[in-house]
Amino acid sequence: MNNVIEVKAIEWKHGWELHLGGRAVTQVGKLKNAVQQVHDYLDTVEPEVNHDDWDIVITQATA
């Protein structure tokens, strides 16, 4: 079973805030790059875990 991260994307003046299901917040300039940014973020904070097969679900939300 794959792990799933639900991400709430909130637009702001410099791009998008990505709220990772209560875990953390990261940012990305363009929403089309959000999934890769979440993978990169997770790989940075948990380098011992392989996140390649994790499902990233992006939902746009209003601020």
Side-chain angles (χ1 to χ4, degrees):
M1 181 166 111
N2 289 349
N3 289 304
V4 177
I5 298 286
E6 294 189 20
V7 178
K8 181 169 49 170
I10 300 174
E11 191 171 18
W12 69 301
K13 148 176 153 174
H14 299 290
W16 296 86
E17 284 185 350
L18 305 174
H19 297 257
L20 284 70
R23 294 171 60 129
V25 177
T26 187
Q27 300 169 342
V28 68
K30 295 183 180 182
L31 193 57
K32 70 179 183 176
N33 300 326
V35 170
Q36 184 61 51
Q37 174 61 24
V38 172
H39 277 289
D40 292 347
Y41 175 81
L42 292 171
D43 288 344
T44 298
V45 298
E46 300 174 338
E48 69 283 357
V49 177
N50 181 355
H51 300 99
D52 291 343
D53 64 347
W54 285 35
D55 293 324
I56 311 298
V57 178
I58 308 287
T59 304
Q60 283 183 251
T62 56

